[in-house]
Amino acid sequence: MKKLSARRRHPLAALVVLLFALAATGGLYAALAPAPKAQADDSSQSLAIEQGKKLYSVGCASCHGASGQGSHNGPTLVGVGSAAVDFQVGTGRMPAQQPGPQVVKKKNIYTQAQIDQLAAYIASLGPGPSTPTKDQYSPADADVAHGGELFRTNCSQCHNFVGKGGALTHGKFAPSLKGVSAKHIYEAMQTGPQNMPSFPDTTMPSKDKAAIIAYLNAVDTAKSPNPGGFTLGSLGPVSEGLFAWVFGLGILIAVSIWVAARTTKAKKS
Amino acid sequence: MSETGSQNHVPENLPEHGSAHGSAPATADPFANPGLPPHEPRRQDIDEKAAKHSERVVAGLFTLSMLGTLGFIASFVIFPVDKIVYIFPVGHVSALNFSLGLTLAVALFCIGAGAVHWARTLMSDEEVADDRHRVDADDELRENVRQQWITGAKESGFGRRRLIRNTMFGALGMVPLAGLLVLRDLGPLPEKKLDHTAWQKGKELINTNTNQPLRPEDVAVGSLTFAQPAGLNEADDDFQTQIAKAALMVVRLKPEDIKDKREREWGHEGIVAFSKICTHVGCPISLYEQQTHHVLCPCHQSTFDLSDGARVLFGPAGHPLPQLRISVNDQGNLVALGDFSEPVGPAFWERS
């Protein structure tokens, strides 16, 4: 205390007291201030819908209709939910570049805030699956082995058993799942984009979806260990056998030819 | 390789110029055996220092092989089975697998390389011709064997005692029947097993993800769900046998999208259930495209249209996927109204 009182006339003492006072006031306000009212929430929500409608008229309305009712160029968006918008726009699939068997993913040109506004507008058209929250899709404490089982039962027929993707009919394909964010994988299962069937929460609960994401993280990232070495596309024994026969035998033949082509004679002819 | 010498440019198999002009053709064999080229020494044959060097190289390779084997043993002891390391072009691999493979490759390759180098540089490389010996034996030996055979036949009484001879033929002829008969134990005939599955009237459709009965409100339009009959347990001994026939895919279409009248009647409010076993060779088939309602088989690209009674659109499959007739029971769960009306999976011999 003595030390403190000795310094009370220091030129900076007033500044220190001021800082303490400000921090205390600010802290108390933050702790005790009344929570924002529901009214404020609503208005920000309706503002987002308003903004989203503007974005929609510019980027989407030409195919999906002025109010999301659909046209001969694109399906109706009533009832697809915010999760579908977050997936389609977030992965860059929508707005589509050109018609074709399948709309492929490309660079996303919207910010997450704009996507949320678009999603809010589409969600306001009719009830549908909403954008999942982080604790729904987080694979943090999911059962990886169970996820593997579910993946092989429900997904591997199209996406390959470690998510490398595969071909479908007439130019359509199941894309590779490598590098796709957990949220987008969750949303794809929930909404069934394009020709992929949906796996709604009623038949595949949220916990199971997180388990599938955990399995994909374990087998399909750049860091996923592969005890055997080269994956050769993870296509299974056919590609591996072909590789062994072509390159393994090829190297043996090349070495034999190299050995036999060089004479050991002292007089090279 | 011109060991015949560079001063003579005449191809060796052609008659010489002088004799071809006006005189009688040469009597010499035009395709004469040229014989072995003269032996050429290797450096190691002439230079003792080079031979010593080769010896050291071969011994070095064999020693390297020994080190490889020791490295193999060491890696086996050192690395735990679950250790993962990053190795540049290959990626994240098991340290144990990688080191075992590498050291064994060194151990085996160096034995081979050492042996080849030894044979090429130090072992004798003189070429010698070794004529084949005659294939047939000489006449005396052949006559001798013939006599012995005749004597043996006479002494055994083979020609005289017909009863023994004939029963012996009978015995030898019948013994293989025993071997043929046990082939029957390769398996019981399938009988009617392929015609029936575990589905019966009133059996609930169990969602394979959750192990809960499926309810119509759970199945959304455009979704895909796999189901198995109630009472089938993964721990059961015959689970695989049963699920191989009973596997079911459940999809929901908008009722107005269903073109086939029977399919609509056999479903429940647009929910239809089809066998998951391809009718070509029995692959599990569930590459479902929800917008086109097509199901593609990954094995041979048979394509079925689920909105038109699972009609075959493309591929080698011979008939549509069998549909399971479903309805809803008192508890509001989906149930089967009986077994499939025809055998599931590929055609077979006795398929009716």
Side-chain angles (χ1 to χ4, degrees), chain A residues 57-125:
Chain A
S57 335
V58 175
C60 324
S62 58
C63 296
H64 292 290
S67 51
Q69 79 279 19
S71 75
H72 62 276
N73 285 328
T76 172
L77 298 184
V78 177
V80 299
S82 60
V85 178
D86 195 71
F87 175 85
Q88 299 280 3
V89 183
T91 59
R93 285 178 167 82
M94 289 290 152
Q97 205 162 34
Q98 58 187 19
Q102 185 159 331
V103 178
V104 292
K105 79 177 180 188
K106 57 182 181 298
K107 199 173 171 323
N108 165 29
I109 51 163
Y110 292 90
T111 64
Q112 187 58 47
Q114 287 173 318
I115 296 172
D116 291 344
Q117 288 165 350
L118 267 175
Y121 170 64
I122 298 299
S124 74
L125 299 177

Side-chain angles (χ1 to χ4, degrees), chain B residues 123-136:
Chain B
M123 289 183 186
S124 165
D125 73 337
E126 302 248 13
E127 286 184 41
V128 286
D130 196 0
D131 289 337
R132 290 200 183 105
H133 56 77
R134 283 187 63 183
V135 174
D136 53 347

